[in-house]
Amino acid sequence: MAPNPRTAASNPPPNMETLISLTKSTQDLLSHFQGSLTASSIAAKAPRNATDTATSDAHNPLATIKATTTLLRSHTTTLSLLLLTPPLTPSAVMTKIGDVSSGTLAAMVAAATTESGPNDVLGEVMRAELRAQVRRLLSTWGDLLGLVQRFAERRKTLGSTKDTGSSESEKQEVLATTGVVWEGCDALLKVCEDGVVGLIVRKAEEWRSVLLDAVEELKEWGDDVEDDGNEDKAEGSGDEDDGFDSDDEIFGAANKLGKDDKELKQLLDKSVKRLKMVGMLYQALIKRRLKTFPKQRATGAASNGETNSDHSPDTPTHRLDILLSQLKTIPETVDDLASAFYDLDEAEANRTLSLCCQEAKSAINTAKQSWTGQDDEFTAWSAKWLEALEAS
């Protein structure tokens, strides 16, 4: 059957103006997606009913995000080729943008914003990481979309008959922007591949590193200022001179531990010793607890036929969230402790040290037993650690 002339006339092929309009509306959609990934937006969602919960709990967000991220990387490659191959064809580019925005990105964002249900297998740290990574990926894809808009506007100005392809600078811009999107995809895929265990171990190691760096700075501060004014000793070592100068720049001459500040010096030594022990605690928790977190839960499958709610108190995912919050808080409190020492505020330093130790004890209590609720080697070790901390 021959096509109806009137129908064909009423549906002309997309032109550059239509493509430009689509890029603008898609940018608005990306802004909406990014807004939905904020913590406040997640918290403001209405509670789900039982049916929604059951459906969501059977779904593994990591699998969806991994699949959509892989697809986005492929779509991005195709789109970059369309931009580099003359002439720029609006219909092909619009189809690809539609596939990404209404399909791939919509599914990715939905998975990243899934609320923690009764059988949550991800935990708050993983959910926050996924939202942050997806937001960054949306931003990079928005940059590529902006590039499409600029290309379309230029081709519209030149006219289709003068479209001889991209200039060298435009080609480099396409390749660079595409590369950034690829990097974002690879980073998100790594999070999915590493899973909950890989992420929580990496986070804990980062927090431990921050803690030990702060302890070392405190120790050097106390050691360097002990002999303030002894020029002969300062001249004897280039390393000591360098450390002394840098401390001067950071803390200022007024914030030095004098020879008469014996009680503050004793408190500093006590703090350094105790915080080093806390660093040891991180190592033990990483090895005995975080690396042994049930991977079946981390990948969305039930373990050992358990049906109890992971959102309830005393379940592995709930305990994990509490433990990670405690491990994150300790280095932040140590920063406050350092500030108290630099201000020569003994009372505040004493109070803040107590807070650090109490948070460490709370972490011990949270992780005292295994994820199955049994006493083990770490249980015995933690009791000895607590005794040593009190005696230090």
Side-chain angles (χ1 to χ4, degrees), residues 44 192 267 352 380:
C192 295
L267 179 59
T352 311

Side-chain angles (χ1 to χ4, degrees), residues 203-223:
K203 290 290 187 182
E205 289 174 342
E206 290 173 356
W207 296 328
R208 177 177 178 271
S209 179
V210 171
L211 166 66
L212 294 182
D213 284 347
V215 172
E216 190 61 29
E217 288 179 8
L218 268 177
K219 183 177 181 300
E220 290 178 358
W221 176 75
D223 290 344

Side-chain angles (χ1 to χ4, degrees), residues 168-230:
E168 188 59 34
S169 62
E170 287 177 328
K171 290 178 181 178
Q172 292 303 317
E173 192 172 8
V174 170
L175 294 175
T177 307
T178 301
V180 173
V181 177
W182 283 349
E183 290 175 1
C185 289
D186 291 344
L188 186 51
L189 286 172
K190 188 177 189 314
V191 172
C192 295
E193 290 288 348
D194 291 346
V196 173
V197 173
L199 177 67
I200 61 178
V201 167
R202 177 169 61 82
K203 290 290 187 182
E205 289 174 342
E206 290 173 356
W207 296 328
R208 177 177 178 271
S209 179
V210 171
L211 166 66
L212 294 182
D213 284 347
V215 172
E216 190 61 29
E217 288 179 8
L218 268 177
K219 183 177 181 300
E220 290 178 358
W221 176 75
D223 290 344
D224 288 344
V225 299
E226 271 189 317
D227 297 305
D228 177 32
N230 188 339

Side-chain angles (χ1 to χ4, degrees), residues 33-92:
F33 282 158
Q34 288 183 312
S36 69
L37 289 162
T38 62
S40 58
S41 297
I42 301 296
K45 284 186 176 180
R48 296 172 297 169
N49 58 40
T51 302
D52 292 336
T53 298
T55 302
S56 177
D57 291 340
H59 171 66
N60 181 7
L62 283 184
T64 299
I65 292 176
K66 181 179 179 181
T68 52
T69 303
T70 302
L71 192 57
L72 178 62
R73 202 181 195 284
S74 176
H75 283 322
T76 300
T77 302
T78 303
L79 182 58
S80 66
L81 291 174
L82 290 173
L83 294 177
L84 294 173
T85 306
L88 182 64
T89 308
S91 58

